[in-house]
């Protein structure tokens, strides 16, 4: 710790390793850090006593023995955060939402049981918004299988091949008032 904080950060959490002979209550470096932090700028800092658990944004963080584990943190849920079953969203949009949320839960939760618990909660929330079990269950199963098979598949070998000649495809959804295709071709030709 150098005693200077040089830029604004709006959300931060930190790990402080105390040596075995010093607790946070007797550690002079910790006390100096807290004092200096409260003198910094016009911001009001909330400093909590060191703990083996913390909530940071949408993540619970736990220190258990010599390991750090995480799980998803959620505030009280509001159903308006989920796409209603009667919406005009495309099936692919709903699939993408399900896949994205399940992927986030899979990556955030160290324990498989926590991932399953949040996946079930998501399923129930979609039902509460008017989706039918018959419609969304296959989407959940497909997303779960893609995510879990992806995590078991090793990453591809590092490919150092020059791909500067690989074509780039731009896909634009059609809209009757959109830029004509000819104009797009002229711009990117």
């Amino acid at each position: 710790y150098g005693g200077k904080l040089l830029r604004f950060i709006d959300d931060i959490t930190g790990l402080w390793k105390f040596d075995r002979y010093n607790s946070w209550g007797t550690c002079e470096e910790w006390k100096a850090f807290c004092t200096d932090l409260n003198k910094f700028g016009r911001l009001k800092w909330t400093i909590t006593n060191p703990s083996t658990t913390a909530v940071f944004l949408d993540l619970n963080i736990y220190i258990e023995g010599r390991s750090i584990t995480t799980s998803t943190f959620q505030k009280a849920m509001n159903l308006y955060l989920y796409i209603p079953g009667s919406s005009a969203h495309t099936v692919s949009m709903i699939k993408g939402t399900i896949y994205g949320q399940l992927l986030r839960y899979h990556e955030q939760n160290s324990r498989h049981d926590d991932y399953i618990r949040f996946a079930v909660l998501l399923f129930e929330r979609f039902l509460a918004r008017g989706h039918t079990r018959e419609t969304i269950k296959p989407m959940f199963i497909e997303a779960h299988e893609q995510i879990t098979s992806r995590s078991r598949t090793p990453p591809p070998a590092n490919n150092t091949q020059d791909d500067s000649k690989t074509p780039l495809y731009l896909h634009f959804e059609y809209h009757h008032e959109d830029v004509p295709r000819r104009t797009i071709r002229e711009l990117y030709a």
Side-chain angles (χ1 to χ4, degrees), residues 3 9 105 156 160 166 185 188:
I9 301 169
Y105 296 154
T160 57
T166 303
R185 284 189 192 129
Y188 289 100

Side-chain angles (χ1 to χ4, degrees), residues 114-125:
D114 289 333
Y115 160 69
I116 296 298
R117 181 169 50 92
F118 284 106
V120 169
L121 278 172
L122 181 64
F123 186 80
E124 291 170 352
R125 290 171 180 149

Side-chain angles (χ1 to χ4, degrees), residues 74 77-84 97 101 105 121-122 125-126 129 131:
Q74 292 181 337
M77 299 310 312
N78 299 310
L79 283 179
Y80 69 84
L81 297 172
Y82 299 93
I83 298 172
T97 301
Q101 286 289 74
Y105 296 154
L121 278 172
L122 181 64
R125 290 171 180 149
F126 267 79
R129 288 297 279 158
H131 293 274

Side-chain angles (χ1 to χ4, degrees), residues 171-175 178:
H171 176 75
F172 298 96
E173 293 291 326
Y174 173 76
H175 189 277
D178 210 347

Side-chain angles (χ1 to χ4, degrees), residues 168-172 184 188:
L168 172 65
Y169 297 99
L170 299 173
H171 176 75
F172 298 96
I184 293 172
Y188 289 100

Side-chain angles (χ1 to χ4, degrees), residues 114-162:
D114 289 333
Y115 160 69
I116 296 298
R117 181 169 50 92
F118 284 106
V120 169
L121 278 172
L122 181 64
F123 186 80
E124 291 170 352
R125 290 171 180 149
F126 267 79
L127 292 177
R129 288 297 279 158
H131 293 274
T132 64
R133 184 176 304 272
E134 296 76 29
T135 303
I136 62 169
K137 185 177 177 182
M139 295 179 196
F140 272 80
I141 291 169
E142 179 185 353
H144 171 75
E145 287 173 353
Q146 286 178 359
I147 291 165
T148 55
S149 69
R150 188 183 102 180
S151 66
R152 288 189 299 260
T153 305
N158 188 7
N159 187 357
T160 57
Q161 177 182 346
D162 177 25

